[in-house]
Amino acid sequence: MPSEFERYSRQMIIRGFGEAGQRKLKAAHVIVAGLGGLGSPTSMYLVAAGVGHLTIIDAQRVELNNLNRQVLHWHLDVKRSKVRSAIEKLQAMNPSVEIDAKLKKITPKNADGLLRGADVVVDGMDNYRTRYLLNEACVRAGRPFVHGAVEGFVGQLTTIVPGKGPCLRCIIPKEPPRKSVFPVLGTTAGVVGCLQAMETIKLLTGIGRPLVGRILFFDGESANFEEIEVRRNPNCPVCGGV
Amino acid sequence: MPITVKFFYNFREATGKDRIEIAGTKDVRSLLNKLVERFGQKLAEQLYEPEREKLRNTVNILVNGHGIMTPHGLGTRLNDGDVVAIFPPVCGG
Ligand SMILES: [Zn+2]
């Protein structure tokens, strides 16, 4: 469609991107699990970039204390479901993207089914129990999983491609204690969520070198990014046999 | 050749260092003991539960990129040239 050429013209002229890259995005199905501080920017940038099919999953309702960072949800959305609030804005941003919303809590029973058909799954969760479920389901399906997490001024990010690099369990083997309230600045989530969208676009188009086998730490206080190498654990209970 | 230890976030605060080199540590346990000796109580509190018997579950340690399972992982052997990273779990989203 001519309007799509116009809409995506500025990214299609990036060297190596072109119409071929855009077609890959259009053909792709991405799942963003969690529509909070990370899932908000991730889903917005993926929709703006023209990912053809986006599934958003979240079981929660918008609360007033979400609004400092969950930029998809606005003042009048308080008490509405996050998926309702999100799909409205995302669809208005880009009507040509197919978006479906699942008002579901991710559980060990439904994880495989919920993620079926996705080319990439993006981690927008706020706890490791669910992150581990997503990690396991992605490893079982051989599906890339883009992990991100934030707290205060700091964040971390890594891209998991099963069989090619470590999974989340290889890197963080034990479940960290769950916090019901964590400190976080909206811009920290913005940085990491945006980078998760970037990783997703790289995976889908085949451009660049994804963060596989590396974890990137972002420290907003000192404005510093630092990566360290991470490796597969051959005895990993999740990906050891992959 | 010594081993390199990289600190992140609160561990960087507690030690005042991004990274150090340290020699003569045979495993992760002896490394942490040396670090506590050198950097004192604040680091000890961040690493260990109050009785100092157990690592806190807010401590992630990678040895050459491999996550270690604590507490068993404290026995993970260290060799010259190894790189150890110590960082907290960042949880939110
Ligand atoms: Zn693994």
Side-chain angles (χ1 to χ4, degrees):
Chain A
M1 270 199 288
S3 67
E4 286 182 272
F5 279 98
E6 172 66 15
R7 177 185 282 268
Y8 306 117
S9 58
R10 294 301 193 272
Q11 66 196 40
M12 285 167 61
I13 56 177
I14 297 171
R15 191 152 34 101
F17 200 102
E19 187 181 334
Q22 196 60 49
R23 287 195 182 280
K24 286 178 187 162
L25 290 186
K26 189 175 179 173
H29 179 199
V30 175
I31 293 183
V32 174
L35 291 167
L38 297 172
S40 287
T42 309
S43 54
M44 289 165 88
Y45 278 97
L46 291 175
V47 161
V51 163
H53 182 187
L54 185 78
T55 299
I56 52 180
I57 307 175
D58 201 305
Q60 294 180 340
R61 288 180 183 279
V62 179
E63 293 178 36
L64 189 58
N65 65 32
N66 298 156
L67 303 189
N68 79 316
R69 63 196 183 282
Q70 304 186 11
V71 293
L72 254 183
H73 314 302
W74 303 345
H75 192 76
L76 290 173
D77 296 316
V78 170
K79 294 192 176 139
R80 296 178 75 202
S81 76
K82 288 190 184 176
V83 285
R84 274 254 127 247
S85 155
I87 201 168
E88 246 175 50
K89 280 83 164 216
L90 295 170
Q91 207 67 84
M93 278 179 78
N94 191 343
S96 63
V97 173
E98 180 190 343
I99 305 173
D100 43 50
K102 293 183 177 163
L103 203 154
K104 284 250 166 70
K105 196 173 154 60
I106 297 159
T107 67
K109 277 197 179 137
N110 69 13
D112 287 313
L114 277 177
L115 304 187
R116 192 163 294 135
D119 295 302
V120 178
V121 175
V122 183
D123 172 7
M125 305 314 305
D126 61 359
N127 68 86
Y128 276 84
R129 186 155 300 169
T130 324
R131 284 191 174 103
Y132 284 148
L133 285 179
L134 295 171
N135 177 60
E136 285 161 27
C138 286
V139 168
R140 273 196 294 275
R143 175 177 296 138
F145 177 50
V146 181
H147 160 70
V150 288
E151 201 161 322
F153 276 79
V154 307
Q156 68 184 33
L157 170 84
T158 189
T159 297
I160 292 148
V161 177
K164 285 206 176 146
C167 78
L168 194 57
R169 274 278 182 190
C170 295
I171 305 168
I172 301 171
K174 63 192 154 60
E175 185 180 334
R178 188 171 183 150
K179 288 186 193 168
S180 55
V181 175
F182 58 92
V184 64
L185 192 67
T187 45
T188 310
V191 168
V192 174
C194 209
L195 285 171
Q196 288 179 280
M198 175 89 91
E199 284 298 301
T200 305
I201 291 167
K202 284 161 60 184
L203 288 169
L204 295 173
T205 56
I207 294 171
R209 190 168 67 99
L211 262 175
V212 176
R214 301 179 283 151
I215 187 166
L216 184 65
F217 292 121
F218 166 64
D219 181 347
E221 276 190 52
S222 54
N224 176 266
F225 283 99
E226 190 167 341
E227 67 168 64
I228 51 175
E229 188 188 11
V230 285
R231 295 192 198 171
R232 293 190 68 184
N233 171 7
N235 303 316
C236 174
V238 177
C239 76
V242 176
Chain B
M1 194 165 123
I3 66 156
T4 303
V5 187
K6 297 182 177 179
F7 301 105
F8 293 91
Y9 306 146
N10 53 313
F11 300 105
R12 194 168 279 186
E13 253 171 58
T15 60
K17 303 273 184 195
D18 294 355
R19 63 167 67 199
I20 60 161
E21 299 205 327
I22 193 164
T25 53
K26 66 178 196 320
D27 56 22
V28 172
R29 183 178 286 108
S30 68
L31 168 68
L32 296 183
N33 288 340
K34 278 204 165 170
L35 293 176
V36 166
E37 245 169 61
R38 179 161 163 190
F39 294 106
Q41 192 56 25
K42 189 165 178 207
L43 182 64
E45 278 168 20
Q46 290 188 5
L47 289 172
Y48 295 106
E49 301 281 355
E51 278 78 42
R52 288 197 63 176
E53 279 163 12
K54 210 167 137 250
L55 264 196
R56 288 185 187 277
N57 55 4
T58 50
V59 183
N60 286 320
I61 299 177
L62 298 177
V63 175
N64 298 327
H66 293 286
I68 68 164
M69 282 295 281
T70 50
H72 319 292
L74 288 177
T76 303
R77 297 202 61 78
L78 293 175
N79 298 301
D80 284 354
D82 282 352
V83 177
V84 178
I86 305 179
F87 59 102
V90 176
C91 296

